[in-house]
Amino acid sequence: MTAPLCPGATIGIIGGGQLGRMLAGAAARLGYKTVILDPQPNCPAAQLASSQIVGAYDDPTALATLAGSADVVTYEFENVPVAAARSLAERLGVLPPPKALDIAQDRLTEKTFLNDAGISTARHFAVDSDADLAAALDALGGSGVLKTRRLGYDGKGQRVLRGLAAGACRGVVAAMGDVPLILEELVDFSFEFSVIAARAADGTVQAYDPARNEHREGILRRSLVPAGIEPATLAGARASTFALMEALGYVGVIGVEFFALADGGFLVNEFAPRVHNSGHWTDAACAVSQFEQHIRAVAGLPLGDPRRHSNAVMENLIGAEIDEAADLMRQPDTVLTLYGKAETRPGRKMGHVTRIAPLSAKG
């Protein structure tokens, strides 16, 4: 794509969850149509989009229909089949590039790429057998976080190991599903934070203020802005995020999760090649949200100003917490977003609420 998409053009979105829904809304504000590819009829994104293709993400017929319907394609989650994204990229623009998907889908590949780009992560080891696990634990002093290399999210596919002797490793890999694993060092961090940033095709970059993130049972519970991060730490985290996007040849919005260390340093935990849960606050506290920023980037438009006009606290509404929606609507300075999901389940993100306040002297 060498010129910005004209109003009325169609943006394809692979994935029909809440992120696709919010992207479709942002695209409509800028005058674009959207077509969603998702196997679930009337998925949350399709409720706001111009049309939906009901089909598997790797179905050749569905992909051909998407390629014939859209002017550019993006995606809302990082487990899109890479082969499908590459197939689409032979026919039209796919942004962010499939390379970002390929790297983000494997935790070992991801950390290796980050390290090769000069970005620090926790120490880690590939684990394919109980013997590998014993050796890795020995190198890390008997403790670590054992994770599946692929498909884990919201705390799934993870097991914390503390003080485990080498002889106690028998059967652990089998219990994790006999899939490729990675053992990561347990990091003694002060708090977690994330940087949401964007890169345009011409290399222009922008970053939102970082958010301090609080998790519960592996799921993001709350994001707070300002995050109370030292200026030097903030500058380093932004520089690492920009370096990562440059190395990926990235176009679009990215979410990079960090561990803040007591000495002012930081480590990258992981990155998501898409809009990110910890950036939902931007829809209430910035003139240009992360969703609009992503649409601008993939459509070839100028990136927007990421400055915020308010402080913000964003909280996910998980499971039955959606029943609080009516009460939340009565609260001042509160922005409520529901995802249009038909079924409420424990641990399922049903919406989010952002409370805004005037900028403070520290903000």
Short mmCIF file of all heavy atoms in Angstrom, two decimals, residues 193-195 210 229 231-243 256 258 266 268:
data_model
loop_
_atom_site.label_atom_id
_atom_site.label_comp_id
_atom_site.label_asym_id
_atom_site.label_seq_id
_atom_site.Cartn_x
_atom_site.Cartn_y
_atom_site.Cartn_z
N PHE A 193 4.39 -3.15 34.05
CA PHE A 193 3.82 -2.05 33.28
C PHE A 193 3.89 -2.39 31.80
O PHE A 193 4.56 -3.34 31.40
CB PHE A 193 4.52 -0.72 33.59
CG PHE A 193 5.95 -0.61 33.10
CD1 PHE A 193 6.23 0.01 31.89
CD2 PHE A 193 7.01 -1.08 33.85
CE1 PHE A 193 7.54 0.14 31.43
CE2 PHE A 193 8.32 -0.95 33.42
CZ PHE A 193 8.59 -0.34 32.20
N SER A 194 3.16 -1.63 31.01
CA SER A 194 3.14 -1.90 29.58
C SER A 194 3.26 -0.59 28.81
O SER A 194 2.84 0.47 29.28
CB SER A 194 1.86 -2.63 29.17
OG SER A 194 0.72 -1.90 29.57
N VAL A 195 3.84 -0.70 27.64
CA VAL A 195 3.91 0.42 26.70
C VAL A 195 3.10 0.04 25.47
O VAL A 195 3.33 -1.00 24.86
CB VAL A 195 5.37 0.73 26.30
CG1 VAL A 195 5.41 1.77 25.18
CG2 VAL A 195 6.16 1.22 27.51
N PRO A 210 2.85 4.92 29.72
CA PRO A 210 2.76 3.54 30.17
C PRO A 210 1.70 3.37 31.25
O PRO A 210 1.36 4.32 31.97
CB PRO A 210 4.16 3.26 30.74
CG PRO A 210 4.65 4.60 31.16
CD PRO A 210 4.10 5.57 30.15
N ILE A 229 6.38 5.80 37.06
CA ILE A 229 7.64 5.23 36.59
C ILE A 229 8.70 6.34 36.51
O ILE A 229 8.42 7.45 36.05
CB ILE A 229 7.46 4.57 35.22
CG1 ILE A 229 6.45 3.43 35.32
CG2 ILE A 229 8.78 4.06 34.67
CD1 ILE A 229 6.09 2.81 33.99
N PRO A 231 11.61 8.63 35.16
CA PRO A 231 11.82 9.07 33.77
C PRO A 231 12.82 8.22 33.00
O PRO A 231 12.63 7.94 31.82
CB PRO A 231 12.30 10.52 33.94
CG PRO A 231 11.69 10.97 35.23
CD PRO A 231 11.70 9.75 36.12
N ALA A 232 13.93 7.82 33.66
CA ALA A 232 14.95 7.04 32.95
C ALA A 232 14.40 5.66 32.56
O ALA A 232 14.68 5.16 31.47
CB ALA A 232 16.19 6.88 33.82
N THR A 233 13.60 5.07 33.44
CA THR A 233 12.98 3.78 33.14
C THR A 233 12.00 3.92 31.98
O THR A 233 11.98 3.09 31.06
CB THR A 233 12.25 3.22 34.37
OG1 THR A 233 13.17 3.15 35.47
CG2 THR A 233 11.67 1.85 34.09
N LEU A 234 11.22 4.97 32.02
CA LEU A 234 10.25 5.22 30.95
C LEU A 234 10.96 5.41 29.61
O LEU A 234 10.55 4.82 28.60
CB LEU A 234 9.42 6.46 31.29
CG LEU A 234 8.49 6.99 30.19
CD1 LEU A 234 7.53 5.93 29.72
CD2 LEU A 234 7.75 8.22 30.68
N ALA A 235 12.02 6.20 29.61
CA ALA A 235 12.75 6.46 28.36
C ALA A 235 13.33 5.16 27.80
O ALA A 235 13.28 4.91 26.59
CB ALA A 235 13.84 7.49 28.59
N GLY A 236 13.88 4.33 28.68
CA GLY A 236 14.45 3.07 28.23
C GLY A 236 13.41 2.11 27.69
O GLY A 236 13.65 1.44 26.69
N ALA A 237 12.25 2.06 28.35
CA ALA A 237 11.18 1.16 27.90
C ALA A 237 10.65 1.60 26.54
O ALA A 237 10.38 0.77 25.66
CB ALA A 237 10.06 1.12 28.93
N ARG A 238 10.47 2.89 26.37
CA ARG A 238 10.01 3.39 25.07
C ARG A 238 11.04 3.10 23.98
O ARG A 238 10.68 2.68 22.88
CB ARG A 238 9.73 4.89 25.15
CG ARG A 238 8.39 5.22 25.77
CD ARG A 238 8.13 6.69 25.77
NE ARG A 238 6.76 7.00 26.11
CZ ARG A 238 6.33 8.19 26.52
NH1 ARG A 238 7.19 9.19 26.63
NH2 ARG A 238 5.06 8.39 26.80
N ALA A 239 12.31 3.32 24.29
CA ALA A 239 13.36 3.05 23.30
C ALA A 239 13.38 1.58 22.91
O ALA A 239 13.54 1.24 21.73
CB ALA A 239 14.72 3.48 23.85
N SER A 240 13.19 0.70 23.87
CA SER A 240 13.15 -0.74 23.58
C SER A 240 11.96 -1.09 22.70
O SER A 240 12.07 -1.89 21.77
CB SER A 240 13.09 -1.54 24.88
OG SER A 240 14.29 -1.41 25.61
N THR A 241 10.82 -0.47 22.98
CA THR A 241 9.62 -0.71 22.19
C THR A 241 9.82 -0.24 20.75
O THR A 241 9.47 -0.96 19.79
CB THR A 241 8.41 0.00 22.82
OG1 THR A 241 8.22 -0.48 24.15
CG2 THR A 241 7.14 -0.25 22.01
N PHE A 242 10.39 0.93 20.59
CA PHE A 242 10.64 1.45 19.24
C PHE A 242 11.65 0.57 18.50
O PHE A 242 11.51 0.32 17.30
CB PHE A 242 11.13 2.89 19.30
CG PHE A 242 10.11 3.88 19.81
CD1 PHE A 242 10.51 5.09 20.35
CD2 PHE A 242 8.75 3.60 19.77
CE1 PHE A 242 9.58 6.01 20.82
CE2 PHE A 242 7.81 4.50 20.23
CZ PHE A 242 8.23 5.71 20.76
N ALA A 243 12.68 0.10 19.22
CA ALA A 243 13.68 -0.77 18.60
C ALA A 243 13.05 -2.09 18.15
O ALA A 243 13.39 -2.62 17.09
CB ALA A 243 14.83 -1.03 19.58
N VAL A 256 3.68 -3.96 24.65
CA VAL A 256 4.89 -4.59 25.19
C VAL A 256 4.80 -4.56 26.71
O VAL A 256 4.62 -3.51 27.32
CB VAL A 256 6.17 -3.87 24.73
CG1 VAL A 256 7.41 -4.62 25.24
CG2 VAL A 256 6.20 -3.77 23.21
N PHE A 258 6.34 -5.16 30.49
CA PHE A 258 7.63 -5.02 31.17
C PHE A 258 7.53 -5.38 32.64
O PHE A 258 6.47 -5.20 33.27
CB PHE A 258 8.11 -3.57 31.09
CG PHE A 258 8.47 -3.07 29.72
CD1 PHE A 258 7.49 -2.56 28.88
CD2 PHE A 258 9.79 -3.08 29.29
CE1 PHE A 258 7.82 -2.08 27.62
CE2 PHE A 258 10.11 -2.60 28.02
CZ PHE A 258 9.14 -2.10 27.18
N PHE A 266 14.66 -2.62 33.89
CA PHE A 266 13.45 -3.30 33.44
C PHE A 266 13.81 -4.49 32.57
O PHE A 266 14.92 -4.57 32.02
CB PHE A 266 12.53 -2.34 32.66
CG PHE A 266 13.18 -1.75 31.43
CD1 PHE A 266 13.19 -2.44 30.22
CD2 PHE A 266 13.80 -0.51 31.49
CE1 PHE A 266 13.81 -1.91 29.10
CE2 PHE A 266 14.42 0.03 30.37
CZ PHE A 266 14.42 -0.67 29.17
N VAL A 268 11.77 -7.02 29.51
CA VAL A 268 10.56 -7.26 28.72
C VAL A 268 10.05 -8.66 29.04
O VAL A 268 10.81 -9.64 29.03
CB VAL A 268 10.85 -7.13 27.21
CG1 VAL A 268 9.65 -7.63 26.40
CG2 VAL A 268 11.14 -5.68 26.86
#
